[in-house]
Each structure stands twice: as C-alpha cells, then as structure tokens.
Amino acid sequence: MKKTERVWMEISTENLRHNVKALKKAMPPDCELMAVVKAEAYGHGAYEVSKELNKMGVTSFAVATIDEGIELKKRGIFGEILILGYTDVCRAPELKKYDLMQTLIDYEYAKSLNSQNIRIKTHIKIDTGMHRLGIPGTEVSEVEEVFAMENIRVCGIFTHLCCADSKRPEDVAFTKKQIGSFYRLIDRLKKDRIEIPKLHIQSSYGLLNYPELSCDYVRAGIALYGVLSSPNDETTLKPDLRPVLSLKSRIILIRSVKAGDSVGYGRSFKADCDSRIAVIPVGYGDGIPRNLSGNVGSVSVCQHTAPVIGRICMDQLMVDITDVKEAEVGDIVTLIDAKGDWELSAPAIAQKTGSISNELLCRMGTRVSHVSMV
Ligand SMILES: *Cc1c(COP(=O)(O)O)cnc(C)c1O
C-alpha cells in the first residue's frame, strides 16, 4: 500500500474464493450461485469483486439498480446480471443495450415495460408475504399474462423470504408458508403448461437455514462476504465463512494532552491523566458509524486495542494511545478486521451500533474508494 493513501479497504481474494467454494458446497449440485454485488458489493467494490468472481467461473450476478448493472457491463464483467430493484421503463433501451435482466416488480410494471416495444429479459418477482416487491403469489392469472407478453422474456421467477434469519417457531412457520405458496404457484403454472423458467428463493440466510430447497439459484450477498448479519445468529448450516474486508488507515498526528484537557466536538472526552492521542483521518463520512464515539468503538494499532475517544467527526476520529507506547505517526490502524480480531469484526461493530453487518459494510462503498486486493 502506498504511503499516501488516507484510508483503504483490503479485500482478501483468498477468503472470497474460499467463501464461494464453501457456499457452493452447501448448495445442491445443480444450483448456481448468483452473487449479489449491489451497493458496491456491500462496500467491497463491485467491479473488483465481480472480476474476481468471474475468474472463479461465477457468471450470475445481482445488483439493485440499472446503473450498477451498466457499470459492471461497461467494465467487462461477463455473465448475466439481474436488477433486483425498480428501473424506470423509459430506460428499456439501456436494459437491452447492456443485456441486463430486469425484475418485474408487479403486474402493472410488467405491462408498462411490455408496452415499450423492446424485448427485455426479466425475472418475475412473486410476493409471498414480505409485501415489498412482487406480484402476489395468489394472482395466478396475472403471472400467466406476464408469460404471454410479447416483449417480456421471462428468464426466471423468484420470491424473497422476510424472516429466514430467525429460528423463532412463528418465523419458521411463516417462512414455510412463503415457500409453500411459491411452489403452489409454480405447480399451477406447470399444470397450465407454462414452461417454468429458473427458480430462486434463498438469499444467504435462506440457504443457511433452509438448505433443503432445491432451486436454480441462491442469491448470496452477506455470506459471500464471509460474515453473518448479527454475531449471535444461529443457523442450521454453519459453513466456514471467512470475512473478506478489512478497513485500514494511518495515524497522521499524535498529540499530548494534559489531565483535564478535552478532545473533540462537544468536549465529551476529558483526559483523566496526561494522555497521548492519535488522530486518524477517517470519520462518519467514510462510513464509520458515529455512535461508536465515546469509547464504544476501538481500533487496533501495533497489535494493541485503542479506544475511540470523544465524538467521531465527519473526516477524522481520535483514539487514546497512551498505553501504546510504540505507536508512531504513519503506523497502520485497523478499523475493521477480517483477520480474526472479534471486537473489530463487522458483526461485532455493527451490533455495538444497533445495526447489522450489511449496513456497516455497504456504507464503506461511498468515499473509501481505494480497494486493494490482497
Ligand atoms: C440484497 C438481496 C439479496 C441478498 O441478501 P443477503 O442476505 O445479503 O444474502 C437477495 N435477494 C434480494 C431480493 C435482495 O434484495
């Protein structure tokens, strides 16, 4: 890493490759991995991750928006890319031009896309109880009409589980109901002699908790990046997943403060003894949650843990290195650690802030632009 970098992400290609293999082993043999690389591959760098996955033979991807899809196609990512979210139908020419697959978010949307007179590859989304996107699973005739639409080429049909991460009996019952209603719809379509396209239901937790389903794809996001959403989640399958992302920066300034001096906005930290404070050029503008302020968060420096003190700023944060005598300006600081420091793992940090790894990681994707594949 160049000395000039303010902050960077290290992406472990070895762990990414390991996770792909671990997930494939957990999947039925004829099921394919659809790598979910939306929101900059959960902050890991969509292009860098997709390129690495291409090298491993992964050729199915999912993104959230058309622009994410276009970016990957323009940069030469090979394979099918499914847009999971909404795209204005006036962008149908771009869907065609970049050979993207669009999710049909409801029946009216399908009709509207069909009326653009451009033949588009699509997957039909079925709402089985999440009540976000999709044609209700009970609306058989609507689904069948979509199959008959002239400019709609149906390549897949799928649903999304809304509580597959939970082992609570009522959540398991609800998930089974969702799965049941999806297959009931598929059976009806079969009876009506509709040629069934690719089927998919499971995201990461869908696979980990309902591995017995046999679909054409698993849409894996968070598990691909080697972490669970929350540290204490119990799952049926426990594949050996390894975190992929580390976030690193450097000490740019060290200052000594006297007992009683305050540090940072609002003077929320007051030194109770003479202290050595390091300034790190990373803040909430880079995706570090502000509520890690005031001793909640910590970083690793010279193999020691140093607490975050005072309030995290937009572009800087301060840590107390009084006990890390050997720390010097220029030393590398680890903020998120893929290498086993549990306190600095994404799930542990996310939990401290009342969130999930998914949110923490995808926020890294905005200003931390430098991705280093290691
Ligand atoms: C984001 C997303 C996924 C991936 O979810 P993970 O829990 O990260 O595996 C799968 N399917 C849909 C529809 C999504 O929006």
Side-chain angles (χ1 to χ4, degrees), residues 67-351:
D67 295 306
E68 290 178 338
I70 290 174
E71 169 82 5
L72 293 180
K73 287 279 180 168
K74 273 189 175 165
R75 296 183 74 176
I77 296 305
F78 172 77
E80 296 282 13
I81 300 180
L82 172 64
I83 300 166
L84 296 168
Y86 167 81
T87 300
D88 192 298
V89 295
C90 75
R91 300 189 72 179
E94 290 165 280
L95 291 172
K96 183 81 185 175
K97 177 175 174 192
Y98 292 101
D99 188 29
L100 297 166
M101 297 199 288
Q102 175 58 45
T103 294
L104 301 175
I105 61 170
D106 76 346
Y107 174 69
E108 287 305 319
Y109 181 84
K111 267 202 335 202
S112 171
L113 188 60
N114 183 49
S115 70
Q116 304 299 306
N117 287 322
I118 300 175
R119 198 163 153 82
I120 301 294
K121 290 186 190 173
T122 66
H123 284 217
I124 303 176
K125 180 107 183 237
I126 303 299
D127 176 18
T128 53
M130 177 151 180
H131 301 329
R132 188 177 61 178
L133 304 181
I135 301 175
T138 46
E139 298 292 335
V140 181
S141 57
E142 284 189 359
V143 175
E144 294 190 345
E145 275 180 54
V146 173
F147 275 95
M149 288 176 184
E150 200 180 336
N151 296 311
I152 298 290
R153 187 172 148 206
V154 181
C155 302
I157 184 164
F158 70 109
T159 192
H160 194 46
L161 305 173
C162 55
C163 51
D165 58 334
S166 167
K167 293 293 217 180
R168 285 165 52 201
E170 58 269 43
D171 290 334
V172 172
F174 190 86
T175 303
K176 289 190 170 157
K177 223 175 86 188
Q178 283 193 278
I179 295 165
S181 58
F182 182 70
Y183 279 115
R184 240 184 339 273
L185 170 71
I186 300 300
D187 283 343
R188 258 306 289 278
L189 299 177
K190 277 184 191 158
K191 275 207 193 84
D192 294 341
R193 300 193 177 281
I194 285 179
E195 200 179 318
I196 304 300
K198 303 276 194 189
L199 302 182
H200 45 116
I201 299 176
Q202 302 137 293
S203 56
S204 297
Y205 280 90
L207 173 67
L208 298 179
N209 285 331
Y210 302 88
E212 66 281 3
L213 298 181
S214 92
C215 292
D216 295 298
Y217 295 109
V218 165
R219 304 183 303 273
I222 196 70
L224 189 59
Y225 307 110
V227 292
L228 295 178
S229 295
S230 305
N232 303 320
D233 283 339
E234 276 301 319
T235 53
T236 305
L237 291 188
K238 298 173 182 60
D240 168 32
L241 298 172
R242 300 179 184 169
V244 171
L245 179 145
S246 298
L247 183 72
K248 298 191 176 179
S249 180
R250 285 177 194 282
I251 298 178
I252 54 161
L253 192 65
I254 295 179
R255 62 171 71 255
S256 299
V257 298
K258 292 263 181 299
D261 283 353
S262 66
V263 176
Y265 283 125
R267 308 189 63 211
S268 66
F269 171 85
K270 289 210 173 76
D272 51 16
C273 57
D274 293 355
S275 304
R276 227 158 67 101
I277 306 298
V279 180
I280 318 297
V282 182
Y284 60 80
D286 302 294
I288 302 296
R290 188 172 174 274
N291 48 7
L292 290 173
S293 295
N295 249 314
V296 177
S298 58
V299 305
S300 151
V301 55
C302 304
Q303 263 107 52
H304 292 273
T305 301
V308 171
I309 54 152
R311 294 198 189 142
I312 293 177
C313 314
M314 190 183 290
D315 319 303
Q316 278 99 23
L317 59 83
M318 280 73 87
V319 298
D320 187 341
I321 52 163
T322 310
D323 296 333
V324 193
K325 300 273 182 286
E326 65 270 44
E328 292 174 11
V329 167
D331 282 349
I332 292 180
V333 170
T334 304
L335 296 113
I336 298 176
D337 188 9
K339 292 265 162 57
D341 183 344
W342 172 245
E343 275 291 301
L344 294 183
S345 71
I349 296 171
Q351 191 181 46

Side-chain angles (χ1 to χ4, degrees), residues 42-58:
Y42 295 45
H44 294 61
Y47 170 69
E48 289 82 357
V49 165
S50 303
K51 195 172 137 193
E52 201 56 41
L53 293 172
N54 261 177
K55 283 190 210 157
M56 293 191 70
V58 175

